[in-house]
Each structure stands twice: as C-alpha cells, then as structure tokens.
Amino acid sequence: PGQEGMLLVKGPNRMLGYLNQPERTAQVFHGDWYITGDMAKVDEDGFLAITDRLSRFSKVGGEMVPHLLVEELISKACGDAPCAVTGLPDERKGERLAVLYTDPTITPEELWRRLSETNLPKLWLPKLENIHHVEELPVLGTGKLDLRGVRTRALELASAPSEPRAQ
C-alpha cells in the first residue's frame, strides 16, 4: 500500500490485442497481464488511485522523471498559467526535459532560477535553453492538452536558432 507502480490488469474484460497488429499487441502484454501505461497506487483500504501516465515521464540519465511533478513546480513558480513538460531526445542522457509555459510576466531565465531554488533533483531541472515561453499550448478538440502537439512545438523551438541568453 502507498507505493506507486505500473498498473497491469488481467481478466475476461480486458482487451485481447490490437487488430492485425501483433507486434504492437506484444508490446502491451506481460504474459496474460495488460500493461495499461498508467501509474497507480493502492491505499491502505485497498482503493486504487491512478496517479499519472507513463507517457508523461521521461527517462533522463536512466532515471524516470515525472512530467506532472515538474509541471506542478512550474505552476508554483509562475502562477496558474498553463504549462507543459515533454521529453526530447538527448544523445548523452537519452532524453531531456523541455518546458512550454504561457505566463507572459516571467522570463525563461527567471523561471529557471525559481525552479533551481526548489527541491527538484538537479537531474530533473530543465536546462535554460529548453524553457520556452509560448502564447498558448496546443490543445485537442476536447480541450485537453495535446501532448503530441506539445512535443512537436518543443522540437521546433529546440531546433530554431535563438538569441544568446544570460546565464
């Protein structure tokens, strides 16, 4: 109880697999267990709580970094303006974190400074050059955050030539 982990399920009500996609099906099963992609924990009373999605993690230097936790610290640092964290490829560490935030009153340098003053592990701290102010975050037609759009925008910003920033 209380420990977070990957949620796997099995039983007669789970899916059998992806239609005509045996390779994809093999990736989401561990024996008879379906790997949901959800992080969850069971409380002392036996109730299950979904805490995050694995897709909302990045593997940085071999460590799983939860995007939601970093986003919570960004929200504390710059108010409740929308923000998003995503993972980008990194040759040295596997992935690196990229931040998109919408608060026009704070610079990337100030946001980085505020984040560096939190208890965030140094490995989880996004580098200044990966923190970007944007007018708005991409959203789906449902109004939910478009995670693929966030990653695409972060990749665009990462590859765009930028002006030197003070460090």
Side-chain angles (χ1 to χ4, degrees):
Q3 288 188 323
E4 188 174 53
M6 177 65 68
L7 177 63
L8 280 68
V9 297
K10 79 175 187 176
N13 58 339
R14 68 144 171 85
M15 76 163 200
L16 299 176
Y18 292 102
L19 184 62
N20 300 321
Q21 296 182 42
E23 298 85 17
R24 188 171 178 202
T25 299
Q27 292 174 348
V28 297
F29 279 94
H30 182 73
D32 289 338
W33 293 88
Y34 172 63
I35 304 166
T36 66
D38 293 317
M39 299 300 290
K41 62 182 173 181
V42 176
D43 68 15
E44 294 77 24
D45 297 320
F47 289 99
L48 179 72
I50 306 294
T51 56
D52 212 342
R53 290 278 304 157
L54 184 61
S55 62
R56 299 283 296 151
F57 283 74
S58 289
K59 194 167 187 178
V60 179
E63 216 174 298
M64 295 303 283
V65 180
H67 296 174
L68 188 61
L69 179 65
V70 179
E71 289 171 358
E72 287 172 4
L73 291 172
I74 293 168
S75 290
K76 286 179 184 174
C78 64
D80 289 329
C83 65
V85 173
T86 191
L88 300 179
D90 184 270
E91 288 183 22
R92 287 185 35 241
K93 293 186 178 179
E95 283 187 281
R96 68 181 188 276
L97 297 182
V99 173
L100 303 182
Y101 72 99
T102 59
D103 185 343
T105 66
I106 188 170
T107 65
E109 292 82 7
E110 179 63 17
L111 179 53
W112 182 87
R113 185 189 65 73
R114 291 180 189 181
L115 285 174
S116 67
E117 292 172 352
T118 68
N119 61 354
L120 194 65
K122 188 171 176 122
L123 185 65
W124 296 14
L125 181 66
K127 295 199 180 314
L128 176 59
E129 60 268 16
N130 296 313
I131 299 176
H132 306 282
H133 173 263
V134 294
E135 295 296 319
E136 60 185 11
L137 297 176
V139 291
L140 299 169
T142 61
K144 287 187 172 188
L145 186 62
D146 178 358
L147 298 175
R148 186 174 292 151
V150 167
R151 188 170 192 278
T152 299
R153 183 73 176 121
L155 283 167
E156 290 168 358
L157 291 166
S159 64
S162 60
E163 296 180 22
R165 293 180 177 170
Q167 301 235 1

